[in-house]
Amino acid sequence: MSSTAIPKRVALHRSPDTASSLSSAAASASPSPLESPRQSPSSTSLSSLASDAQAREPKLLDTYGNEFKIPDYTIKDIRDAIPQHCFERSAVKSLAYFARDSAVIAAIFYLFHTYVTPETVPSLPARVALWTLYTFLQGLFGTGIWVLAHECGHQAFSTSKVLNDTVGWIGHSFLLVPYFSWKISHGKHHKATGNMARDMVFVPKTRQQYASRIGKTVEELSELLEETPFLTALNLLLQQLFGWPMYLFTNVTGHDNHESQREGRGKGKRNGYFGGVNHFNPSSPLYEAKDAKLIVLSDLGLFIMGSVLYYAGKNFGWLNLLVWYGIPYLWVNHWLVAITYLQHTDPTLPHYNPEAWNFARGAAATIDRDFGFIGRHIFHGIIETHVLHHYVSTIPFYNADEASEAIQKVMGLHYRSEAHTGWTGFLKALWTSSRACQWVEPTVGAEGEGQSVLFYRNTNGIGVPPAKLSKKSS
């Protein structure tokens, strides 16, 4: 996939002077009348008046200070640009990929179990190194299975809903993912991507929520010292290790507006432990009453897989089970969280309050990245073509490159990409986004609809400084 132009990234590390000057520039919508010569009525045309008004209109600025324009194309424009054959799904081709990944997982297990033993590899450090490699490889191909099951959930695997849900249920249950439960909540995420009130995952904290979390007032955020690299690294480690199970059990990073659930099932329920919001309870406000049987079926898949693991641990040893399945499972979780976090978290991405949100805008609030050979051939392009996936999620991954190229012509500068950075660029983005994307707020001086377009800000001196609020204004 060829690279498409995006707003220039200027990773500014602010000094105090820089911060104040940027804040002043953002707050000043127009130059002083004393600094601008006034035109006489005879020399002022309607067009020049319009351009002057446009110049005085406050600009929306992303974290790096790039100007942001709200997308104005429609989902019909997007769909019309995609060649019709890209929508075609092949059960044979999809099953072949699923069989390939499953066979590789089985082959890796057979090879290591047979040949990496004390008899064949007497050196303990060598065996530890080789089995560490095993866990990494199984984590990669396990993630590939996860992606294909995700295709099933979107009905992109084939034209048969029964086949899609059967393969998806098997693939996700194998990875301890509640297939139907996650399929339903993930579908709602696609319907509300970038919507601060309705999105289901990686909803950023507002300024007030972030301040509350660290025990500060909203006015104090712009005055805080930067977060230490150690704390950033610790937060990243916790996110990568526990982010996925925490999401399933407590809906962390999902919206917390369950009172608005149309069946009234969210009354009194909140995210967090024992708050009644999770992916396992049929009465969770993430679902409707009609979904109950599917939630139970998802739980059944987990029970079956859990029983298989219990049998393996009891009969072959719990340490063996940890190496054979447990650590690869953690690798899958790591890749899953890293991929989804970086698809929706970047200093160039906006988020919208409900009054400014629509589907086309929300789907553009995502970004394509690059993970080299692994991303393309093991993760099935989920990293490289995610923007397209949010516009048309039924397009199978093997047609996604061509379709992605097509929609970029419609999106123009609204298409966000970090193409051709490889796996090192992907991992670097984890650190960059963690440092730069702490909470979201409107651009200083934004007016009208622009007040409901939110961008990431931080206390780490990166990019546009946070707005300075007086106690009176809060």
Side-chain angles (χ1 to χ4, degrees):
M1 182 174 65
S2 62
S3 177
T4 299
I6 62 171
K8 182 180 179 183
R9 290 170 176 263
V10 184
L12 300 175
H13 288 266
R14 303 187 300 266
S15 64
D17 291 341
T18 305
S20 61
S21 64
L22 276 171
S23 182
S24 300
S28 301
S30 61
S32 164
L34 297 176
E35 298 172 345
S36 304
R38 182 175 303 188
Q39 292 179 303
S40 65
S42 60
S43 65
T44 304
S45 65
L46 291 177
S47 60
S48 64
L49 283 172
S51 62
D52 287 346
Q54 188 175 14
R56 289 194 300 270
E57 184 179 338
K59 295 179 179 180
L60 304 181
L61 301 177
D62 71 15
T63 310
Y64 290 137
N66 301 312
E67 182 178 1
F68 177 82
K69 297 288 187 181
I70 300 175
D72 58 358
Y73 53 82
T74 67
I75 184 60
K76 184 180 185 302
D77 297 330
I78 291 290
R79 295 187 70 96
D80 289 348
I82 300 172
Q84 199 60 35
H85 64 265
C86 290
F87 294 90
E88 296 175 2
R89 297 162 287 174
S90 168
V92 172
K93 185 178 290 189
S94 296
L95 283 169
Y97 278 107
F98 192 87
R100 183 203 73 172
D101 288 357
S102 300
V104 170
I105 288 173
I108 291 173
F109 178 80
Y110 173 79
L111 290 172
F112 278 80
H113 183 259
T114 304
Y115 297 107
V116 185
T117 66
E119 294 75 23
T120 55
V121 184
S123 169
L124 177 61
R127 288 203 311 278
V128 169
L130 287 169
W131 278 106
T132 299
L133 175 63
Y134 163 90
T135 66
F136 176 72
L137 293 175
Q138 293 291 57
L140 293 180
F141 285 95
T143 303
I145 290 289
W146 193 99
V147 173
L148 293 177
H150 161 260
E151 291 258 306
C152 292
H154 285 292
Q155 307 303 307
F157 193 82
S158 77
T159 58
S160 168
K161 187 175 186 298
V162 172
L163 178 62
N164 293 339
D165 286 343
T166 300
V167 174
W169 182 77
I170 293 171
H172 268 169
S173 296
F174 174 71
L175 298 167
L176 297 179
V177 178
Y179 171 72
F180 291 102
S181 309
W182 184 79
K183 168 187 171 181
I184 294 168
S185 68
H186 186 65
K188 293 180 179 180
H189 158 63
H190 271 256
K191 292 177 182 177
T193 306
N195 187 315
M196 291 291 293
R198 292 174 45 224
D199 202 351
M200 300 297 291
V201 66
F202 286 116
V203 179
K205 290 178 174 59
T206 63
R207 184 186 184 107
Q208 184 172 8
Q209 290 168 337
Y210 182 82
S212 176
R213 191 193 76 168
I214 63 174
K216 300 293 182 180
T217 65
V218 293
E219 303 88 4
E220 292 176 302
L221 286 184
S222 60
E223 311 298 332
L224 288 179
L225 297 175
E226 74 173 89
E227 181 180 85
T228 65
F230 173 78
L231 186 57
T232 301
L234 179 61
N235 288 335
L236 257 181
L237 178 64
L238 294 175
Q239 172 183 286
Q240 296 309 118
L241 278 176
F242 305 113
W244 174 240
M246 285 286 288
Y247 176 66
L248 293 179
F249 279 100
T250 70
N251 200 44
V252 65
T253 80
H255 78 74
D256 205 9
N257 300 317
H258 307 294
E259 294 276 355
S260 63
Q261 209 267 12
R262 64 182 181 180
E263 291 186 329
R265 294 152 60 90
K267 188 174 182 180
K269 296 182 179 179
R270 307 291 295 175
N271 293 346
Y273 288 111
F274 312 112
V277 184
N278 61 65
H279 282 74
F280 310 104
N281 189 341
S283 65
S284 171
L286 299 176
Y287 313 111
E288 300 174 19
K290 64 181 177 63
D291 300 323
K293 292 181 179 179
L294 296 176
I295 309 309
V296 171
L297 186 55
S298 298
D299 294 344
L300 176 62
L302 300 183
F303 175 79
I304 293 172
M305 187 60 194
S307 299
V308 170
L309 294 174
Y310 177 80
Y311 175 85
K314 187 174 182 181
N315 288 275
F316 300 101
W318 297 106
L319 181 59
N320 282 336
L321 180 63
L322 176 67
V323 176
W324 293 345
Y325 184 91
I327 299 177
Y329 169 79
L330 292 179
W331 272 114
V332 173
N333 285 1
H334 158 71
W335 293 123
L336 168 61
V337 173
I339 290 167
T340 53
Y341 173 71
L342 289 180
Q343 285 166 342
H344 302 94
T345 309
D346 187 82
T348 67
L349 295 181
H351 283 75
Y352 298 90
N353 285 329
E355 55 270 19
W357 180 91
N358 64 39
F359 181 84
R361 292 175 180 179
T366 58
I367 185 170
D368 288 342
R369 299 189 189 272
D370 176 30
F371 205 66
F373 178 87
I374 291 173
R376 287 288 180 186
H377 299 287
I378 301 179
F379 293 168
H380 305 296
I382 194 173
I383 295 171
E384 289 79 6
T385 59
H386 191 70
V387 176
L388 165 78
H389 176 68
H390 265 278
Y391 278 113
V392 190
S393 58
T394 54
I395 290 178
F397 73 90
Y398 44 79
N399 292 336
D401 278 328
E402 182 179 357
S404 183
E405 290 282 358
I407 71 168
Q408 291 171 30
K409 298 171 185 176
V410 176
M411 296 182 68
L413 290 178
H414 294 295
Y415 172 70
R416 298 290 190 272
S417 172
E418 278 205 336
H420 313 305
T421 60
W423 66 270
T424 54
F426 181 87
L427 296 178
K428 180 182 177 182
L430 267 178
W431 181 259
T432 300
S433 292
S434 296
R435 297 287 288 171
C437 304
Q438 293 182 324
W439 76 88
V440 291
E441 63 183 44
T443 302
V444 172
E447 297 176 354
E449 190 175 45
Q451 293 177 309
S452 293
V453 184
L454 313 179
F455 299 93
Y456 287 106
R457 299 292 185 255
N458 61 83
T459 62
N460 291 324
I462 301 173
V464 176
K468 292 187 176 181
L469 301 178
S470 65
K471 292 186 178 181
K472 183 178 179 180
S473 66
S474 63

